[in-house]
Amino acid sequence: MSENTTPSAQHQQLRAQLQQLEAALRDAGLWSALPPSEQAMASTMPFMFDTLQIEAWLQWVFVPRLQALMDGGLPLPGECSVQPLAEHQWNERALERHHAALRVLEQIDATLSGRAEG
């Protein structure tokens, strides 16, 4: 977090970005109405990459955890680098409509890593 960004300002910015991420994923057809199975959610691998595609992890793990941290007044991660992983996975699957989601993920990474500009 930069010197000029208060936690509440960071939270406000992050909440807006999470809403933008949801909208971008929906627009790209990467938002699911059905949650993953309990077995898939029980993965202990980073990003649950053995059981979930990145968009499912973003929807069912990443966004809810960040919202829960903010709602609970708990510290947010100080570093975040989700965008490169998402880009790699989506490019590997040749998804063409993910560009808006990648831009929002880049902004979220910057916000959490203290690189965001007001």
Side-chain angles (χ1 to χ4, degrees):
M1 188 165 28
S2 70
E3 295 174 21
N4 298 329
T5 306
T6 64
S8 61
Q10 183 190 35
H11 288 188
Q12 184 177 17
Q13 184 175 23
L14 184 57
R15 284 186 196 280
Q17 290 167 337
L18 292 175
Q19 289 174 343
Q20 292 168 359
L21 177 60
E22 178 179 342
L25 290 171
R26 284 182 185 278
D27 290 347
L30 298 172
W31 193 263
S32 175
L34 299 174
S37 70
E38 286 184 35
Q39 181 181 4
M41 293 296 288
S43 172
T44 58
M45 300 295 286
F47 305 101
M48 299 180 175
F49 71 86
D50 60 332
T51 59
L52 298 178
Q53 293 186 335
I54 189 68
E55 59 270 17
W57 180 81
L58 290 166
Q59 177 180 352
W60 300 103
V61 179
F62 184 69
V63 170
R65 284 188 182 167
L66 288 176
Q67 289 172 334
L69 289 172
M70 289 185 291
D71 292 347
L74 299 169
L76 294 169
E79 284 292 321
C80 188
S81 189
V82 175
Q83 187 271 348
L85 176 64
E87 182 174 31
H88 173 74
Q89 285 198 7
W90 289 332
N91 283 341
E92 194 172 79
R93 289 171 27 216
L95 293 178
E96 297 295 329
R97 298 177 298 169
H98 63 279
H99 300 290
L102 287 175
R103 283 192 300 275
V104 177
L105 283 171
E106 186 175 27
Q107 294 167 358
I108 291 170
D109 286 350
T111 295
L112 290 172
S113 301
R115 299 185 310 267
E117 296 183 16

